[in-house]
Amino acid sequence: ITIKAARSGGGAATPGSTRYTSPPQAPAVPTHCSARRAASWLGPAGGAVLGGATGARGRIAPGALGRADYREFALPHSKRIFDALRDTGVPLIHFGVGTTAILADLAEAGGDVIGLDWRQPLDAAWGQAGPTVAIQGNLDPALLLAPWPAVETGVRDVLKRAEGRTGHIFNLGHGILPETDPEILARIVRYVHG
């Protein structure tokens, strides 16, 4: 289950049009009620984790906002959602693409795990997000199109940067490209678990 931010009135929005011409629309993200509804689905669906994405395709992604705008327009609402989900008893993952500059703010908003895209080294991101959160990530998905030796080097680098810390969840830094060979994915899983 992923809770996605969406602006009221339908349609896509550019950061400028929502932030500056219609500020009341900017905070139109899922409400406490929506968060509670998502939480109620976890039990019957057998959910073991809940992922909250702070941005959605075609809408305002957190990486498109400067830090001050994120803190004003997105953080309070993201925090309300994560607070509402806290009592579900499942780990909460907070992910956003292009969020290098606001990782500490994502951690403040909530989530037991901060998901990273591939743009920042894992160890540097952990330093920003803080020692109390787990980190999920962050192999570059485009690397999976390279020959295995290059993929293996990338996997080793991510694992080395995790430094054996408790709370690292190895993952891609955002999605799988359609042309990715499934055998490469299987090799990564065997390597990480090996």
Side-chain angles (χ1 to χ4, degrees):
I1 299 171
T2 300
I3 297 175
K4 294 183 179 179
R7 109 179 219 258
S8 64
T14 61
S17 68
T18 299
R19 284 189 310 181
Y20 300 113
T21 62
S22 303
Q25 291 181 347
V29 297
T31 63
H32 179 81
C33 179
S34 297
R36 286 274 179 215
R37 180 174 297 144
S40 73
W41 298 332
L42 288 174
V49 67
L50 178 67
T54 303
R57 272 181 263 162
R59 294 177 177 84
I60 297 177
L65 298 176
R67 186 165 190 228
D69 288 334
Y70 175 80
R71 291 190 66 79
E72 181 179 353
F73 295 118
L75 187 141
H77 307 289
S78 294
K79 182 168 179 25
R80 187 172 61 234
I81 290 166
F82 281 102
D83 287 349
L85 297 171
R86 177 68 41 216
D87 62 357
T88 62
V90 298
L92 304 172
I93 300 173
H94 196 169
F95 178 78
V97 174
T99 57
T100 299
I102 60 169
L103 289 176
D105 300 310
L106 291 182
E108 180 183 336
D112 304 300
V113 180
I114 301 299
L116 300 178
D117 67 16
W118 67 96
R119 293 177 178 95
Q120 183 175 22
L122 186 76
D123 49 345
W126 220 315
Q128 282 181 266
T132 61
V133 296
I135 296 288
Q136 174 181 292
N138 69 336
L139 186 66
D140 183 348
L143 187 58
L144 276 59
L145 303 178
W148 174 250
V151 175
E152 182 180 22
T153 297
V155 170
R156 273 198 320 262
D157 181 62
V158 170
L159 294 173
K160 179 182 174 198
R161 290 177 184 280
E163 299 175 9
R165 293 179 178 148
T166 301
H168 176 235
I169 302 168
F170 188 94
N171 201 358
L172 298 181
H174 187 50
I176 297 174
L177 299 171
E179 56 271 29
T180 300
D181 179 358
E183 180 53 31
I184 290 290
L185 297 170
R187 289 183 81 173
I188 292 170
V189 170
R190 288 192 298 269
Y191 189 91
V192 170
H193 286 270

